[in-house]
Amino acid sequence: MPLTPDPAVLHGMALFAGLDREALADVVRQAHTRRVPRGTRIFAQGDPAAAGHALIDGRVKIVQTGAEGQQVVMRFIGPGEMFGTLAVFAGGIYPADAVAVADSVEIHWTAATMTALMELHPRIGLNALRIIGGRLQEVQSRLRELSTERVERRIAHALLRLVRQAGRRVDAGVEIDFPLSRQDVAEMTGTTLHTVSRTLSAWESRGIVEGGRQHVLIRKPHALVAIAEDLPPAAPG
Amino acid sequence: MPLTPDPAVLHGMALFAGLDREALADVVRQAHTRRVPRGTRIFAQGDPAAAGHALIDGRVKIVQTGAEGQQVVMRFIGPGEMFGTLAVFAGGIYPADAVAVADSVEIHWTAATMTALMELHPRIGLNALRIIGGRLQEVQSRLRELSTERVERRIAHALLRLVRQAGRRVDAGVEIDFPLSRQDVAEMTGTTLHTVSRTLSAWESRGIVEGGRQHVLIRKPHALVAIAEDLPPAAPG
DNA sequence: CGTAGTCTTGAATGACCTCAAACGCTGTGG
DNA sequence: CCACAGCGTTTGAGGTCATTCAAGACTACG
């Protein structure tokens, strides 16, 4: 059921930045939206890339699985971000699973539609190029971290990245605003949930973070930055 | 001195695939080429992205350096491949160094030219999207390997990737056709040159590879695949 | 023929993983 | 409302893969 949404949902989506009112309406008209409850797999690694997607609300985890079942979290997608779009143009196969980690609303366009839209509105292609470029640089940075840094610093970097992307200010500090398990963090940083747990426990005893079941609150972001950048810890405040 | 090259050099460049004769001539007319001796740094990490580049001949290493000087080899660029182009559209800053590891010939377009060309010939943008998309997927695969695989398998993967990209058939097997040090391999796989050296020595004693100063020859590619995929070694042949 | 860069190899250390067990929160069904 | 089951988390002990430290051999080149 191609539920045609309010064109307003596209506002703030980098993929459609700079399109005029008419073009946006055109884009929206061809979209399909659907609700995806927490835990739903939106597409699976290895499937033909039938559609390009974007997230209206919620949170989606992009996970790649290796030959022996090892999983790696490539990124988390938040509202306004596209996902699975790349596969439509390069490869034609989804390179990873997309799983909703919170109740979400997703919008998508069939591969054919996506291609047509892009030819009709060249601006979309340029936007996509910029977005993909940014992601490539981000993944390359992670590659460097993973190659050269110790586990503790990698975990600090991962949390800081999540704070930037999905941080919500609360009295006690900043919290990650979606369910995030130790296992997830481990799969983002190339370590085990045990090491993540130990690390967070150590930080908790220093008052830097506060943990909970699938929940992380950062009490002292600056201390986390110090760890990530390997600076001397600041004087206690 | 904008040495205008023969349009033929653009043939087989994925970035300009599908352009008609006239468009190609247009592209070539705006290009600058230059010879870059081995060891030359073509651009430096952190510099404003003044131009998009492509390689006519030779081999270029893309290296990212971390805050404390740790280096990571992002990829090797061969003839026909573009490099440093992404930075023109996303970020405006080169995210890595580009160094010629063999005497090379490079062609480049200023950022302004590049943008103009892309608007005039939308096909270039789509090509770029496909290329960047492919690279993103490749980097993501490496990220997964680095996260989940042991050093030996990572080295095997790296060599196989190089064979695919720069392998030259010779009597004894396949050799990497440009100078490649143990240090380079270490920086591609997130390990140390010591471990790479030990690993290659072990393989050499099993007759799988043959080493030399900045030189690697693969005698039994299938054995390397077996290591990379963690298959049982085949019966000796 | 000396020098600088590359490569090899040994020994010791240590960061992190693996294995193992137990704890505690959360939601569910009786 | 309580009990229980399931899942995520914590923590310990032991082992190991790879790094670090160290020294020496080889190769290319001026």
Side-chain angles (χ1 to χ4, degrees):
Chain A
M1 191 132 325
L3 211 164
T4 302
D6 187 322
V9 300
L10 297 191
H11 274 291
M13 270 196 196
L15 185 57
F16 303 112
L19 265 62
D20 58 38
R21 175 181 295 278
E22 199 178 341
L24 278 178
D26 184 27
V27 168
V28 166
R29 211 173 302 122
Q30 317 219 32
H32 302 233
T33 56
R34 70 170 166 145
R35 294 188 51 253
V36 281
R38 183 176 175 189
T40 309
R41 188 166 67 183
I42 297 172
F43 54 75
Q45 182 171 341
D47 283 359
H53 306 252
L55 198 64
I56 305 283
D57 189 52
R59 192 72 52 171
V60 168
K61 180 168 73 166
I62 307 294
V63 194
Q64 210 177 77
T65 306
E68 283 109 41
Q70 338 83 306
Q71 300 206 311
V72 175
V73 174
M74 287 304 161
R75 66 185 285 109
F76 283 95
I77 302 293
E81 289 186 275
M82 69 177 200
F83 63 104
T85 306
L86 178 52
V88 173
F89 305 105
I93 300 283
Y94 290 120
D97 286 354
V99 180
V101 295
D103 291 336
S104 302
V105 178
E106 176 241 5
I107 183 168
H108 62 266
W109 296 261
T110 65
T113 304
M114 200 90 221
T115 307
L117 280 174
M118 206 166 276
E119 285 183 2
L120 200 60
H121 309 289
R123 187 59 190 266
I124 297 176
L126 293 182
N127 288 338
L129 190 54
R130 202 185 335 276
I131 294 168
I132 298 295
R135 292 206 188 157
L136 179 57
Q137 295 192 357
E138 192 199 301
V139 175
Q140 286 182 337
S141 292
R142 283 179 62 192
L143 197 67
R144 179 171 49 72
E145 287 173 16
L146 202 52
S147 289
T148 63
E149 294 180 359
R150 295 269 129 114
V151 170
E152 189 184 26
R153 293 181 64 178
R154 300 207 303 267
I155 296 175
H157 271 121
L159 287 189
L160 288 172
R161 213 174 271 121
L162 287 172
V163 164
R164 240 171 284 129
Q165 205 203 345
R168 182 205 298 151
R169 292 204 65 80
V170 294
D171 312 352
V174 191
E175 68 178 9
I176 310 295
D177 79 352
F178 63 89
L180 178 76
S181 71
R182 306 290 181 268
Q183 179 73 40
D184 288 330
V185 177
E187 288 173 5
M188 295 177 74
T189 53
T191 181
T192 62
L193 82 159
H194 307 281
T195 298
V196 172
S197 179
R198 278 183 240 273
T199 304
L200 291 188
S201 293
W203 288 348
E204 189 150 6
S205 72
R206 288 169 58 191
I208 298 174
V209 304
E210 216 173 285
R213 189 192 178 84
Q214 302 202 104
H215 180 249
V216 181
L217 165 73
I218 289 87
R219 291 178 142 287
K220 301 182 184 168
H222 57 279
L224 215 51
V225 172
I227 293 168
E229 309 297 335
D230 199 24
L231 306 172
Chain B
M1 189 133 326
L3 211 162
T4 301
D6 187 321
V9 300
L10 296 190
H11 275 293
M13 271 196 194
L15 186 57
F16 303 112
L19 264 63
D20 58 39
R21 174 180 297 277
E22 199 178 341
L24 277 177
D26 183 28
V27 169
V28 166
R29 211 173 302 124
Q30 318 219 32
H32 302 233
T33 57
R34 68 169 167 147
R35 292 189 51 255
V36 281
R38 182 175 177 189
T40 310
R41 189 166 67 179
I42 298 173
F43 54 75
Q45 180 171 342
D47 283 359
H53 307 251
L55 198 64
I56 305 283
D57 190 52
R59 192 72 52 173
V60 169
K61 179 167 74 165
I62 308 295
V63 194
Q64 211 178 76
T65 306
E68 284 107 43
Q70 338 85 305
Q71 299 206 311
V72 175
V73 174
M74 287 301 163
R75 63 185 290 111
F76 284 96
I77 302 293
E81 288 185 274
M82 68 176 201
F83 63 104
T85 306
L86 178 52
V88 174
F89 304 106
I93 301 284
Y94 290 120
D97 286 355
V99 180
V101 294
D103 290 337
S104 302
V105 179
E106 177 242 0
I107 183 169
H108 62 267
W109 296 262
T110 65
T113 304
M114 200 87 221
T115 307
L117 280 174
M118 205 166 278
E119 283 182 4
L120 200 60
H121 309 289
R123 187 59 190 263
I124 297 177
L126 293 180
N127 288 338
L129 191 54
R130 206 188 327 280
I131 294 168
I132 297 295
R135 290 205 189 159
L136 179 56
Q137 295 191 358
E138 192 199 301
V139 175
Q140 286 183 338
S141 292
R142 283 179 63 192
L143 196 67
R144 180 171 50 70
E145 286 173 18
L146 202 54
S147 290
T148 63
E149 293 180 0
R150 293 281 148 97
V151 170
E152 188 184 29
R153 293 181 64 178
R154 300 207 303 265
I155 296 175
H157 271 121
L159 287 190
L160 288 172
R161 213 175 271 121
L162 287 172
V163 164
R164 240 171 282 132
Q165 206 203 343
R168 183 204 297 151
R169 294 205 63 82
V170 294
D171 313 353
V174 192
E175 69 178 9
I176 310 295
D177 77 352
F178 63 91
L180 178 76
S181 71
R182 306 289 181 267
Q183 179 74 41
D184 288 331
V185 177
E187 288 173 4
M188 295 177 73
T189 53
T191 181
T192 62
L193 81 159
H194 307 280
T195 298
V196 171
S197 179
R198 279 182 239 275
T199 303
L200 290 186
S201 293
W203 289 347
E204 188 151 7
S205 71
R206 288 168 61 191
I208 299 175
V209 303
E210 215 173 287
R213 189 191 178 82
Q214 303 203 79
H215 179 247
V216 181
L217 165 73
I218 288 88
R219 291 177 141 288
K220 300 182 183 170
H222 56 281
L224 215 52
V225 172
I227 292 167
E229 309 297 337
D230 197 25
L231 306 171

